[in-house]
Amino acid sequence: MALTAAGILVATGGIALDPVAASAATWVPTSTTALSPTDAVRLAAAPATRSLRLTVGLAPRNRSALDTLIAQQATPGSANYEKYLTPAQFTARFAATQATATRVTDYLTSQGMQHVTVASNRLQVTADATVAQAQQAFHTSIASFSRAGKRVIANTSAAQVPATLAGAVTGVLGLSDLGPALPTLPSAPKLTGYYPKEYNTVYHSAGTKPGTGTTLAVIAQGDLTQTVKDLRYAEAKQGLPQVPVTLRYNGIKSADTAGTIEWDLDTQTSTGIAPNASRLYVYVATTLTDSDLARSINDFAARNEARSGNASLGECDLLPYLDGSMVVDDMAFAEAAVQGQTFFASSGDTGSSCPVAPTNGVPGSGPTDTSYPASSPYVLGVGGTTLLASDANAYQSEIAWNAGGGGVSPVEYPGAWTNGVNLAGTAGLRGVPDVAFAADPVSGGNIYATDSGTTSVQTVGGTSLASPLAMGLWTRMVATRGAKLGFAPPKLYAYYSRVQAGNPVTAVPGFHDVVAGANGVYTALPGYDYTTGLGSFDVAVLTGKLG
C-alpha cells in the first residue's frame, strides 16, 4: 500500500526499503518516515559530506493535560479560565526535562554533529551534520533525486534513534528537502481593491482600538530589507504611524528576495488594519523547508513576545505528517496556545485540494487534502471569500471563493473546542478552515511593492491576504478587550456553539455566515462548513460578545 500527496510516496507494506546495517532491536522509531518522490528520478546516494541543518523534536510531557488546560482557559467557571502560562511555566510543566534534553544533545555530539543547541523551551534541539553523520545517528539512508530539473534529497528509510532514547525524540527534520512549504499567493490581475485600513470599514471595526498596546508577528524567509522599506513607504502613503519592526533570524541569513511581495502583503495588511500595534516581529527562516520553518515557529512560541502570529504558506498535510514536522510544530503551536497566543495560517489557494508545485493557486490541481499548518488544532485556519461591499466600503455579503482551501484533514486531530459545531471535530477529525475573509483577487488587497527600483500599488489576493487580514482584525479585538482573550479558537467556537445551540441556521451575532459558493468538493451552507468555516467577523459586535 502507498499513500501519496504532492508527489511523495511512503512505503507501508510490500515495497522494500533501503537496507540498514544495525539490528532492529537496537533502534526505536520516530515520526519521521521513509520518503520517496514519485515525480522524480532517483540518482544515487546523497553525497556523504553534504551539510544538513537538523531540527530534532523533543517529546513533551503530559500532552493530554496540556490539551485539557487549553480548553479550561476558555471555559467560564474553570479555575484556569483566562489564566495563561509564561514560557517558563510551560517549560517546567510540559516540555522535555533537562535530563532528557541532555541525553539527546550528548548523543548528537557523540555522532560528530556541530553547533548542537537546545531551544529555550526544550521542544527542539538543532544541530549541523553531514549526510554520513545523520545516516549513522538515525539509522537511515538518504538518497539524491532529480525533480523538475532540481536536485533534491530524501531519507529513503525511516529515521530511528537508539533504544536508550526511546520516548525522547518525536521527529528528525532536515533529512529531506522535498518540501518546501509554498506561499499561498496566486498571481492576480491589476484590479481596484482595498487598502488594508479600508477593510476596517468593511468588517466593522469602528469603536475598537487600532492595535494599541499589543503585538503581532509574521513568519517569513530570506532577505527582508525591501519588505521593511515597502512597509515604511505604505505607511507614509496611507498616513499611518510607523509600527516598530524587529527581525528575528532563525539560522543562516539568506539573500533570497523571491518572496518579497508575499512578505509585503503579510506585513502591510496586518499592521495597516492595526496601525497602532506596539511592534511587529518577523521570524525569518533561512528557507521554507520544514526543518528551517520549525525553528521560526518554535521561536514565536518560546519568546512569547507577540500576541498573534501569521504564516501565509502551507503544504499538503501528508508531507509534514510523514517527515515528522507536524508532530514537532504542533507542540510549538500548543505552547503558544496555552500562553494565550493565537497563530493564523492560510488554508491554501487550490480549493478542496492541497498546494502542489508548480500548480499552486490553481483550484483542484492537487490531491484532495488540507494544508498544514492551517490544519493544526492549535492554529486558526483562514479560508477565502469573494467580498461584496458598497463603494463606501460597507459590508454587503461574501461568497465562498472557489480557490479557498478547506476540507477534512486525513491525519490531524481536532481541538475539543470544535465539537458540536465543526462536524469533522465531532467525528475526531480536523475540519478546515475555522474562519474566512476576502481572498478573491476581485476583492483583493492593495499593497505597495517594489520592482526594478520602482514602488507601485499592486492588487493581490489569495488566502495569503485573508490570513494576515484576520490577524489584524483579531489584534484590534485583543487591544480592545485585553490579553485575556487569549487563544482564539476555543473562544470563537464556544460562543458560536452557545448561540446556535445545535441549530445551524441560527444567526450568530458577530459572524457573517457565508451560504453561497463552493471550493470544489465542498459547498457553503448555513452554519459551519468546509469552505468558510464559521464565516467572517463583524469586529465591533464580536468584540463585545466574547467572554
Side-chain angles (χ1 to χ4, degrees):
M1 175 181 177
L3 302 175
T4 61
I8 308 301
L9 177 145
V10 55
T12 59
I15 300 175
L17 302 178
D18 286 359
V20 286
S23 165
T26 308
W27 300 87
V28 293
T30 69
S31 62
T32 300
T33 311
L35 301 172
S36 180
T38 58
D39 57 350
V41 176
R42 182 166 176 165
L43 301 175
T49 58
R50 173 171 169 165
S51 297
L52 302 175
R53 290 193 303 272
L54 302 180
T55 303
V56 179
L58 297 179
R61 294 169 290 151
N62 305 322
R63 177 64 179 272
S64 61
L66 174 60
D67 286 343
T68 298
L69 178 57
I70 292 171
Q72 290 174 345
Q73 289 172 331
T75 304
S78 166
N80 292 311
Y81 181 58
E82 294 183 344
K83 294 180 180 179
Y84 305 109
L85 302 188
T86 65
Q89 290 170 331
F90 170 84
T91 301
R93 291 178 61 177
F94 297 112
T97 64
Q98 184 60 58
T100 296
T102 299
R103 281 193 292 132
V104 174
T105 57
D106 286 350
Y107 175 67
L108 300 181
T109 301
S110 75
Q111 298 299 300
M113 298 184 189
Q114 302 294 314
H115 308 118
V116 179
T117 305
V118 181
S120 61
N121 57 358
R122 296 203 296 269
L123 290 183
Q124 296 180 1
V125 176
T126 58
D128 294 337
T130 64
V131 165
Q133 290 168 343
Q135 289 183 136
Q136 176 175 295
F138 301 113
H139 195 229
T140 188
S141 300
I142 304 174
S144 295
F145 297 82
S146 176
R147 188 188 199 196
K150 180 181 178 182
R151 182 165 292 200
V152 296
I153 63 170
N155 56 294
T156 54
S157 59
Q160 303 178 67
V161 292
T164 54
L165 294 180
V169 173
T170 54
V172 183
L173 316 183
L175 303 177
S176 162
D177 59 3
L178 289 180
L182 298 170
T184 50
L185 176 69
S187 60
K190 183 71 171 69
L191 301 169
T192 301
Y194 300 82
Y195 288 99
K197 64 183 182 182
E198 293 176 325
Y199 285 119
N200 279 319
T201 302
V202 172
Y203 289 109
H204 192 207
S205 293
T208 61
K209 294 181 179 179
T212 311
T214 192
T215 50
L216 63 170
V218 299
I219 301 291
Q221 175 268 332
D223 186 347
L224 273 289
T225 303
Q226 188 61 54
T227 295
V228 176
K229 290 181 180 178
D230 289 344
L231 175 61
R232 297 301 174 224
Y233 187 93
E235 290 165 336
K237 284 290 187 180
Q238 291 297 303
L240 300 173
Q242 289 192 356
V243 176
V245 176
T246 296
L247 304 180
R248 301 287 193 199
Y249 286 93
N250 302 116
I252 302 168
K253 290 185 179 181
S254 167
D256 184 11
T257 59
T260 297
I261 192 171
E262 173 65 58
W263 321 134
D264 282 345
L265 181 60
D266 289 356
T267 56
Q268 291 176 37
T269 299
S270 57
T271 63
I273 291 170
N276 285 12
S278 299
R279 186 165 296 273
L280 170 68
Y281 294 92
V282 185
Y283 298 92
V284 189
T286 303
T287 71
L288 294 181
T289 59
D290 288 347
S291 181
D292 284 349
L293 282 173
R295 300 182 186 209
S296 287
I297 291 169
N298 194 64
D299 201 31
F300 166 78
R303 291 182 183 272
N304 191 27
E305 57 195 357
R307 303 319 306 150
S308 305
N310 175 74
S312 291
L313 46 82
E315 60 187 334
C316 295
D317 276 6
L318 199 54
L319 179 56
Y321 174 76
L322 296 175
D323 73 10
S325 58
M326 183 176 284
V327 173
V328 174
D329 291 343
D330 273 356
M331 278 313 306
F333 288 134
E335 177 185 354
V338 82
Q339 292 169 175
Q341 299 170 277
T342 300
F343 199 88
F344 296 74
S346 49
S347 66
D349 299 338
T350 51
S352 53
S353 299
C354 61
V356 179
T359 58
N360 182 34
V362 179
S365 60
T368 300
D369 192 3
T370 50
S371 183
Y372 188 84
S375 61
S376 171
Y378 309 107
V379 167
L380 192 72
V382 184
T385 68
T386 299
L387 172 66
L388 303 177
S390 70
D391 291 340
N393 298 330
Y395 183 91
Q396 294 177 329
S397 66
E398 287 171 277
I399 300 169
W401 183 43
N402 71 313
V408 180
S409 172
V411 291
E412 270 287 21
Y413 68 95
W417 43 87
T418 67
N419 293 350
V421 175
N422 185 326
L423 295 180
T426 305
L429 301 170
R430 171 67 166 127
V432 181
D434 297 300
V435 293
F437 293 86
D440 189 332
V442 172
S443 53
N446 292 336
I447 63 166
Y448 294 88
T450 302
D451 184 21
S452 301
T454 301
T455 305
S456 62
V457 176
Q458 297 189 33
T459 302
V460 292
T463 53
S464 281
L465 164 66
S467 190
L469 193 166
M471 180 174 70
L473 296 174
W474 178 255
T475 297
R476 295 184 70 102
M477 296 169 71
V478 172
T480 304
R481 292 295 303 276
K484 67 179 184 178
L485 279 183
F487 179 46
K491 292 274 189 177
L492 298 177
Y493 277 99
Y495 165 64
Y496 199 93
S497 179
R498 286 197 302 272
V499 174
Q500 281 202 334
N503 186 353
V505 301
T506 302
V508 180
F511 284 98
H512 302 122
D513 192 8
V514 182
V515 295
N519 68 351
V521 173
Y522 304 103
T523 301
L525 300 168
Y528 179 91
D529 55 63
Y530 303 127
T531 59
T532 59
L534 304 174
S536 64
F537 300 156
D538 179 317
V539 177
V541 174
L542 188 58
T543 301
K545 296 293 185 181
L546 294 181

